[in-house]
Amino acid sequence: MVNIRTLCIHGNEDKRDLTGSVSVPIYQSATFAHPSVGETTGYDYSRRQNPTREHLEKTVAALESGTDAIAFSSGMAAISGLMEIFTPGDHIIASSDLYGGSIRLFQQVNTKNGLRFNFADTTSLDQIEALICKETKAIFIETPTNPTMRVTDISALSRIARSRNILLIVDNTFLTPYFQQPLLLGADIVMHSGTKYLCGHNDTLAGFLVVSDADLAAKLRHILMSLGSGLSPFDSWLLIRGIKTLSIRMEKQQENAMAIAQWLQGHEKVKKVYYVGLPDHPGFEISKRQSKGFGSMISFSVDSEETAKRILEKVNLILYAESLGGVETLITYPMLQTHADLSQEERDAKEINETMLRLSVGLEYADDLIEDLEQAFE
């Protein structure tokens, strides 16, 4: 079997191009002509499928060891499409500290449309089992979670889900298929915000759903065509280009993150560091079993709100901006950005307060990043 590093670069070798072009062509066409009545080239209308998007989807499916991947116009579009497989009255259990946008969608849109949600600490299998009822159709998790970096045992949870005929959905954005492959651990659906590490350059939006079951894939493709939320040809090409360097980016960003996490642990104004790669992290051993790496996302809490705001205002090399996974190191303030829609009570329960910051570590020289943080603390 071809190594995942090679898959990142070569992906789906069928480029549908006779010129020998090394770069996948961008088929910037909304529609495709029929050879004759009742015949098709395999492409009719780009809302349904486009050759450039198809190349990307086959690449992502191969990386995740799935049979099909469906590319959406954003991560939230992917989750929105996914929710359309459920019907009013269905019950879904979700990680309590998901990305704030996912919680907003579930609570403000999907609940209105008749779905019912319970949010739980999905690191606790007992807590999940206690919430399962006859209407439960899915368990939706992030691992590690955003931004508190909690780790769920995917294999153990998949055994519970399969025994109850419940779908297990895993948001794999933080670790990517390079470090973690949830389908091989028993998950039914893998979701990605392709905007993040898969793209890697903070220059486009994308989302993916990856599955192994052919019937489920067909259902999701019908939803994609009906909603019209497929990824555009040019954005598909940007993702193809970004994935080519996924392996080396993930390795180097992880190396930088470990150095920064260890430095933060020794700083007098840092009260807690949330990084899965630290041996004292509660999910360290589970992560070693189910993943090939720890990623490059770090959250940390400082001694006061004043210190947090001073860091945000004083960083120079590090950018105070939302999003994550790009080559540039970004710092965010979850309570005002990613989780601003949550109530104060909900944020406090998740330790997302005035003193928590989140770092997406990039590809810069690690010592330069540490030096920038050091001067920002002063």
Side-chain angles (χ1 to χ4, degrees):
M1 182 177 178
V2 175
N3 186 275
I4 192 168
R5 295 187 182 205
T6 302
L7 278 177
C8 287
I9 295 169
H10 292 280
N12 167 39
E13 282 300 327
D14 181 11
K15 299 181 175 61
R16 298 195 181 277
D17 178 75
L18 301 177
T19 67
S21 172
V22 173
S23 178
V24 176
I26 303 171
Y27 289 87
Q28 196 64 46
S29 180
T31 190
F32 299 86
H34 294 273
S36 64
V37 176
E39 293 187 14
T40 176
T41 62
Y43 306 99
D44 303 314
Y45 194 59
S46 278
R47 175 159 51 81
R48 178 189 292 271
Q49 188 55 289
N50 176 281
T52 312
R53 186 166 78 227
E54 183 180 55
H55 179 100
L56 169 64
E57 289 173 337
K58 288 184 176 180
T59 298
V60 173
L63 292 174
E64 281 287 6
S65 298
T67 59
D68 199 7
I70 300 96
F72 290 79
S73 56
S74 70
M76 292 311 303
I79 301 177
S80 297
L82 174 60
M83 289 300 108
E84 294 299 322
I85 70 174
F86 303 109
T87 59
D90 286 350
H91 174 241
I92 299 169
I93 300 169
S95 299
S96 58
D97 54 343
L98 293 174
Y99 164 58
S102 301
I103 296 175
R104 179 177 60 239
L105 174 70
F106 294 164
Q107 291 183 332
Q108 299 180 21
V109 179
N110 299 138
T111 298
K112 170 181 66 66
N113 294 335
L115 300 185
R116 187 163 63 89
F117 294 85
N118 275 123
F119 295 92
D121 176 3
T122 49
T123 67
S124 170
L125 301 181
D126 291 339
Q127 192 174 140
I128 294 171
E129 288 201 90
L131 289 171
I132 294 175
C133 61
K134 64 179 182 179
E135 294 84 14
T136 304
K137 295 297 189 294
I139 302 171
F140 186 107
I141 69 170
E142 289 177 3
T143 182
T145 57
N146 181 7
T148 56
M149 311 300 163
R150 295 182 182 180
V151 177
T152 294
D153 188 328
I154 299 173
S155 294
L157 187 54
S158 74
R159 289 191 290 271
I160 293 173
R162 287 180 186 275
S163 71
R164 307 292 189 90
N165 198 29
I166 295 169
L167 292 173
L168 176 57
I169 305 160
V170 180
D171 184 333
N172 198 29
T173 298
F174 274 16
L175 291 186
T176 81
Y178 183 71
F179 280 148
Q180 181 171 267
Q181 293 180 311
L183 293 178
L184 297 183
L185 297 168
D188 298 288
I189 303 172
V190 172
M191 177 268 165
H192 284 280
S193 173
T195 309
K196 313 304 194 295
Y197 289 101
L198 294 181
C199 173
H201 294 80
N202 290 318
D203 55 11
T204 194
L205 304 178
F208 296 93
L209 297 175
V210 191
V211 297
S212 294
D213 182 78
D215 291 338
L216 185 54
K219 186 181 294 186
L220 290 169
R221 286 208 169 275
H222 179 75
I223 290 169
L224 177 79
M225 180 188 67
S226 301
L227 294 178
S229 52
L231 193 62
S232 74
F234 181 65
D235 288 329
S236 296
W237 182 84
L238 287 174
L239 265 291
I240 293 167
R241 184 181 66 167
I243 288 172
K244 288 182 183 295
T245 59
L246 178 65
S247 63
I248 57 173
R249 285 189 285 106
M250 295 300 292
E251 292 283 0
K252 183 59 182 176
Q253 284 170 285
Q254 176 177 250
E255 179 185 323
N256 284 351
M258 181 63 76
I260 292 170
Q262 291 172 341
W263 178 83
L264 286 168
Q265 275 194 314
H267 199 286
E268 61 181 7
K269 292 185 178 180
V270 176
K271 300 305 177 185
K272 186 173 182 178
V273 178
Y274 306 77
Y275 180 60
V276 182
L278 296 173
D280 61 353
H281 187 284
F284 180 75
E285 293 300 328
I286 294 174
S287 187
K288 284 205 303 182
R289 288 201 306 269
Q290 68 184 19
S291 310
K292 294 189 299 181
F294 305 111
S296 56
M297 295 301 301
I298 305 170
S299 293
F300 61 101
S301 294
V302 294
D303 58 356
S304 68
E305 181 179 359
E306 291 72 25
T307 298
K309 289 183 176 179
R310 183 166 64 251
I311 292 170
L312 293 170
E313 291 171 357
K314 289 187 64 179
V315 286
N316 294 316
L317 184 63
I318 298 168
L319 302 173
Y320 175 24
E322 294 192 48
S323 199
L324 59 100
V327 296
E328 301 90 356
T329 297
L330 305 180
I331 189 167
T332 62
Y333 203 15
M335 65 163 287
L336 291 183
Q337 294 176 293
T338 58
H339 290 72
D341 286 338
L342 273 62
S343 68
Q344 182 73 46
E345 183 180 6
E346 288 174 314
R347 288 197 300 269
D348 287 345
K350 300 172 177 59
E351 302 179 351
I352 304 171
N353 54 35
E354 293 81 359
T355 66
M356 175 184 270
L357 299 169
R358 191 193 73 186
L359 271 176
S360 170
V361 181
L363 288 175
E364 302 92 341
Y365 184 52
D367 288 352
D368 290 337
L369 295 171
I370 291 172
E371 183 179 329
D372 191 30
L373 285 170
E374 191 166 26
Q375 64 83 27
F377 268 100
E378 295 174 356

